[in-house]
Amino acid sequence: MKGSIAVIVEHAGGEVKPSTYEALAAGQRIRAIVGGPVVLVVLGEHVAELAAALRDATSRSVIAVEVPDLVTYSGEVYKEALIHVFRDLSPAYVCMANTTQGMDLAPGLAVRLHAACITGVEDIERDSDGIYFSRSVLGGKVSVQARPLAEVTVLTVQSGAFRSNDTFNCSASGANRDTDGEGVVFLKMECVPRHTRSLGVREAEPKDAALADARVIVAAGRGVGSRENLELIRQLVEIFPSAALAASRPLCDLEWVEYRRQVGLTGAVVAPELYVACGISGALQHVVGMRGAGFVVAINSDPNAPMFADADVCVIEDLTTFIPILVEAWRNQRHGSAHFFDET
Ligand SMILES: Cc1cc2nc3c(=O)[nH]c(=O)nc-3n(C[C@H](O)[C@H](O)[C@H](O)COP(=O)(O)OP(=O)(O)OC[C@H]3O[C@@H](n4cnc5c(N)ncnc54)[C@H](O)[C@@H]3O)c2cc1C
């Protein structure tokens, strides 16, 4: 399938990570411009069911690469296995999410493929000379357009930049058992050279959704004023299904919130459906991390806070006044017949 568009599937615990569908949406955009089949490539120890579920959910061709002992992502094994797979597939474009995995995999893979490598892609367009890709640099102050000069291009896709119109529900347990039907190609790699061995996976103790998967993110900034007031933010998190607490950098520097919850230039890039910024001024270094959010509510006592420029709803109020009233209103609604938020 020379000229195909390969999309690398990110998965864990038998579930496809939502960022994969954004990489797939970018692959579809490339297809709309240059043509060529879009092929999903999933690697792992037991990925047959997941591959079948992906085929059912996306109606795209899937290559399932079974690699013994590949329980979690390993850069060296992925690169070795993909080089092997791409000898036959000859993709012109390789798309993956701009996650920790994608950022680890893309540059080394590009070197091995003698390919161009463009990371953090936010837009894909064409002009009279052909396709080109846009990405932000200098913390979002400047947008750069790049045209690949190599035969193969490896891309990482910025979170929130390409939204899929389809809602895929895909996990290994939901797969059609007839896993060798049309659309799934199985490859078995017996022996991939490696210098490390995974000893297993130990879950961190998140009590709420991880930032990447949360539909709602409630972010606390220095405006919370004290560690005790973070309890208000946690109460706000609890009123939403699939919600997570995040923070601006000063709160992480103060060790009030773990660094893995920091949003921004030196933290996570997130794209939830709803982002509630509580006591966050809206510095560019923070905003570049949440620009992909679908809807933004900002709560700030300063009517001139820059955060309001990026907000759909602006609440000009002391958060220690506003949040308890909001939480109380929700609790009252809950005990009545009506529901404040759709919990589906
Ligand atoms: C290289 C570099 C990288 C960086 N990376 C990041 C990053 O990844 N993420 C990040 O967040 N920052 C990052 N920063 C820091 C960034 O520049 C800002 O300093 C930071 O985002 C400010 O955090 P803040 O909005 O919480 O605090 P502040 O700027 O102090 O804002 C606090 C806000 O709270 C409001 N407020 C105060 N009291 C109340 C109240 N009672 N009720 C309601 N509102 C109230 C104030 O009006 C103000 O707008 C980086 C900086 C540099 C130089």
Side-chain angles (χ1 to χ4, degrees), residues 220-225 247-251 262-268 278-287 299-302 305-306 317-320:
R222 194 150 36 193
V224 297
S248 65
R249 181 159 141 179
L251 293 211
Q262 179 184 320
V263 168
L265 185 63
T266 44
C278 308
I280 294 178
S281 59
L284 187 65
Q285 291 88 354
H286 182 83
V287 171
I299 307 167
N300 200 306
S301 50
D302 175 6
E317 185 54 273
D318 186 321
L319 63 86
T320 60

Side-chain angles (χ1 to χ4, degrees), residues 157-200:
V157 174
Q158 189 63 277
S159 171
F162 297 87
R163 285 197 181 274
S164 168
N165 293 330
D166 305 311
T167 307
F168 300 114
N169 184 7
C170 186
S171 66
S173 56
N176 178 348
R177 293 268 154 192
D178 172 21
T179 53
D180 49 3
E182 197 183 300
V184 182
V185 173
F186 291 99
L187 299 174
K188 195 156 186 123
M189 305 213 49
E190 287 307 341
C191 155
V192 179
R194 60 178 74 179
H195 298 92
T196 54
R197 184 166 57 91
S198 170
L199 298 178

Side-chain angles (χ1 to χ4, degrees), residues 41-328:
V41 184
V42 54
L43 298 95
E45 190 175 33
H46 302 295
V47 287
E49 287 196 2
L50 195 59
L54 266 167
R55 175 206 52 196
D56 293 348
T58 65
S59 307
R60 294 277 156 215
S61 300
V62 181
I63 297 178
V65 188
E66 296 266 356
V67 186
D69 295 332
L70 186 59
V71 184
T72 52
Y73 167 76
S74 153
E76 63 173 340
V77 177
Y78 263 56
K79 270 173 253 176
E80 203 60 44
L82 285 171
I83 294 296
H84 185 83
V85 173
F86 289 165
R87 262 182 221 136
D88 289 333
L89 189 64
S90 298
Y93 297 92
V94 182
C95 303
M96 62 192 81
N98 192 51
T99 51
T100 311
Q101 175 178 319
M103 285 189 269
D104 179 67
L105 177 61
L109 183 64
V111 169
R112 297 282 301 272
L113 292 170
H114 305 290
C117 183
I118 305 175
T119 55
V121 169
E122 292 175 341
D123 205 0
I124 304 171
E125 289 169 277
R126 78 175 307 164
D127 60 15
S128 54
D129 291 325
I131 193 165
Y132 64 92
F133 302 87
S134 300
R135 60 177 303 236
S136 291
V137 293
L138 299 176
K141 281 192 183 134
V142 179
S143 172
V144 167
Q145 281 73 46
R147 194 188 312 282
L149 300 176
E151 272 184 33
V152 182
T153 305
V154 177
L155 306 164
T156 69
V157 174
Q158 189 63 277
S159 171
F162 297 87
R163 285 197 181 274
S164 168
N165 293 330
D166 305 311
T167 307
F168 300 114
N169 184 7
C170 186
S171 66
S173 56
N176 178 348
R177 293 268 154 192
D178 172 21
T179 53
D180 49 3
E182 197 183 300
V184 182
V185 173
F186 291 99
L187 299 174
K188 195 156 186 123
M189 305 213 49
E190 287 307 341
C191 155
V192 179
R194 60 178 74 179
H195 298 92
T196 54
R197 184 166 57 91
S198 170
L199 298 178
V201 181
R202 214 182 280 162
E203 289 278 332
E205 32 60 47
K207 294 193 177 70
D208 49 2
L211 290 190
D213 301 330
R215 292 174 61 191
V216 177
I217 290 180
V218 183
R222 194 150 36 193
V224 297
S226 68
R227 192 194 276 265
E228 291 67 43
N229 281 347
L230 270 176
E231 183 52 31
L232 292 176
I233 310 296
R234 291 206 176 87
Q235 287 175 12
L236 194 50
V237 170
E238 278 170 19
I239 76 178
F240 299 101
S242 181
L245 172 83
S248 65
R249 181 159 141 179
L251 293 211
C252 300
D253 289 342
L254 284 165
E255 297 185 359
W256 292 1
V257 176
E258 310 94 301
Y259 273 109
R260 68 187 166 91
R261 297 186 180 279
Q262 179 184 320
V263 168
L265 185 63
T266 44
V269 176
V270 296
E273 291 168 33
L274 172 64
Y275 191 86
V276 187
C278 308
I280 294 178
S281 59
L284 187 65
Q285 291 88 354
H286 182 83
V287 171
V288 290
M290 44 68 66
R291 257 194 201 137
F295 196 87
V296 177
V297 176
I299 307 167
N300 200 306
S301 50
D302 175 6
N304 297 315
M307 192 70 227
F308 287 143
D310 284 281
D312 297 287
V313 171
C314 307
V315 181
I316 304 167
E317 185 54 273
D318 186 321
L319 63 86
T320 60
T321 307
F322 180 75
I323 294 176
I325 292 171
L326 179 64
V327 171
E328 182 66 20

